[in-house]
Amino acid sequence: MPTYSYRCPDCSDFDLVRPMAEADAPARCPGCGRPSRRVFGAPALHSMDPRQRRAMDASERSADAPEVVSSVPGRARQAIPVTRDPRHARLPRP
Ligand SMILES: [Zn+2]
């Protein structure tokens, strides 16, 4: 059975293991017994692959602050000369 979180208006949050059919029903607070509403928190990311989590974090950061790059990431390429004729070096360049 899954674990659901509930918030007591007087005490604090608590978790309950309940059947899915009863997830939205108010739960009694274990401290004071008042009916408590279900709350939704962040998903359990601790079991996610760290590489996938880093990719998701980078994607989330880039939504409002994209990284600016000046070159394609990876190995820098060296310019391969098209010709070895020294007269071509004196030709006008655009
Ligand atoms: Zn309570």
Side-chain angles (χ1 to χ4, degrees), residues 8 11 29 32:
C8 173
C11 303
C29 171
C32 66

Side-chain angles (χ1 to χ4, degrees), residues 3-7 20 22-27 36-40:
T3 303
Y4 299 99
S5 297
Y6 298 87
R7 178 165 296 152
M20 291 175 72
E22 300 174 14
D24 292 331
S36 305
R37 294 182 57 171
R38 184 177 171 198
V39 293
F40 297 90

Side-chain angles (χ1 to χ4, degrees), residues 88-94:
H88 291 165
R90 290 183 299 214
L91 291 173
R93 302 281 177 212

Side-chain angles (χ1 to χ4, degrees), residues 3-58:
T3 303
Y4 299 99
S5 297
Y6 298 87
R7 178 165 296 152
C8 173
D10 295 335
C11 303
S12 62
D13 293 356
F14 60 94
D15 295 332
L16 280 182
V17 178
R18 303 176 94 181
M20 291 175 72
E22 300 174 14
D24 292 331
R28 294 237 172 251
C29 171
C32 66
R34 283 190 65 175
S36 305
R37 294 182 57 171
R38 184 177 171 198
V39 293
F40 297 90
L45 299 177
H46 59 275
S47 60
M48 184 182 290
D49 181 14
R51 291 172 295 186
Q52 187 178 8
R53 186 172 356 152
R54 279 195 298 273
M56 289 177 67
D57 289 345

